[in-house]
Amino acid sequence: KQEVTQIPAALSVPEGENLVLNCSFTDSAIYNLQWFRQDPGKGLTSLLLIQSSQREQTSGRLNASLDKSSGRSTLYIAASQPGDSATYLCAVGMNSGYSTLTFGKGTMLLVSP
Amino acid sequence: NAGVTQTPKFRVLKTGQSMTLLCAQDMNHEYMYWYRQDPGMGLRLIHYSVGEGTTAKGEVPDGYNVSRLKKQNFLLGLESAAPSQTSVYFCASTISFGFSTGELFFGEGSRLTVL
């Protein structure tokens, strides 16, 4: 059974700092990995989608990398802002034919002014 | 675009009552999912559908039923609600590429309390 772990569970940084969020998974037979953002009381918003054949994806100040062989992904946030405060979740899609995602429990990020 | 819309957004039930959550998407997505999110447990898949008229069980299907009579709608039913089903329910949808899927779009959630 695929297990997805996100470390740390919570992170507090001052505005302007560059930071890295980590995601690890136990089964490397994935077809994609997604990073999501969730604001309190809201649904999840997709930030970046990496297909298994890709190594990284970038969107603005966000960069996500994928290393399938080691079962790891990182989300890099450059020049963090208070508006980046949210919970960040990663999810992996398996090559099982079931087209479902397994989610980590998320990293709660607080960026203070 | 409305994207993924869930109704109702809030509901309080008594133990044993039944209800249906409706999810509607306007993106012509083949795949639709129902998740529940609980503190400390993360998101867990209840049921999903890979096309109109098809449904399948996820990780925590007991106590729930689903139907996908139209491509744009995915219904989640609770036949006899229990306090353990108090949770926030999320619907999601995505497009199929055959070998993979696209990004997942989520609704805003439905907060259900069972007394």
Side-chain angles (χ1 to χ4, degrees):
Chain A
K1 178 184 174 183
Q2 176 73 274
E3 293 183 3
V4 180
T5 303
Q6 292 186 247
I7 295 174
L11 181 62
S12 182
V13 300
E15 181 178 6
E17 191 163 300
N18 301 326
L19 58 99
V20 174
L21 305 181
N22 297 295
C23 173
S24 62
F25 45 94
T26 55
D27 188 339
S28 62
I30 67 171
Y31 60 75
N32 64 22
L33 182 145
Q34 293 185 58
W35 283 92
F36 296 87
R37 169 186 173 135
Q38 185 175 28
D39 294 292
K42 299 292 186 180
L44 282 71
T45 300
S46 179
L47 297 173
L48 291 164
L49 167 66
I50 309 176
Q51 300 293 349
S52 61
S53 59
Q54 299 173 317
R55 294 298 299 269
E56 66 176 346
Q57 283 286 339
T58 298
S59 176
R61 294 183 294 108
L62 305 180
N63 176 276
S65 67
L66 173 64
D67 185 342
K68 276 183 55 178
S69 61
S70 67
R72 297 172 64 88
S73 176
T74 60
L75 178 66
Y76 175 82
I77 303 177
S80 58
Q81 303 170 357
D84 295 330
S85 298
T87 297
Y88 292 80
L89 299 98
C90 72
V92 297
M94 295 300 297
N95 283 335
S96 65
Y98 293 111
S99 307
T100 61
L101 298 181
T102 301
F103 282 82
K105 294 182 180 179
T107 295
M108 185 182 301
L109 174 65
L110 176 63
V111 181
S112 53
Chain B
N1 277 343
V4 179
T5 304
Q6 294 182 226
T7 54
K9 290 183 170 49
F10 301 93
R11 184 74 186 271
V12 178
L13 290 177
K14 294 181 179 179
T15 297
Q17 287 185 319
S18 64
M19 75 159 296
T20 300
L21 298 176
L22 170 63
C23 175
Q25 52 93 4
D26 60 2
M27 297 171 282
N28 202 33
H29 286 168
E30 292 91 348
Y31 294 170
M32 297 187 73
Y33 310 83
W34 275 108
Y35 288 90
R36 60 177 290 174
Q37 186 175 40
D38 303 288
M41 301 295 291
L43 277 155
R44 293 180 292 170
L45 181 65
I46 305 171
H47 285 281
Y48 64 101
S49 168
V50 297
E52 182 178 319
T54 73
T55 63
K57 295 180 180 180
E59 180 184 357
V60 289
D62 294 342
Y64 305 95
N65 57 75
V66 288
S67 64
R68 182 105 180 263
L69 299 179
K70 294 183 179 180
K71 186 177 183 179
Q72 63 267 34
N73 296 336
F74 194 29
L75 279 65
L76 177 71
L78 286 72
E79 292 184 344
S80 179
S84 61
Q85 293 177 306
T86 293
S87 186
V88 181
Y89 292 85
F90 287 101
C91 177
S93 72
T94 188
I95 194 168
S96 167
F97 294 134
F99 63 90
S100 184
T101 57
E103 63 178 307
L104 206 58
F105 290 84
F106 278 82
E108 289 287 291
S110 297
R111 188 175 298 273
L112 174 66
T113 301
V114 183
L115 303 176

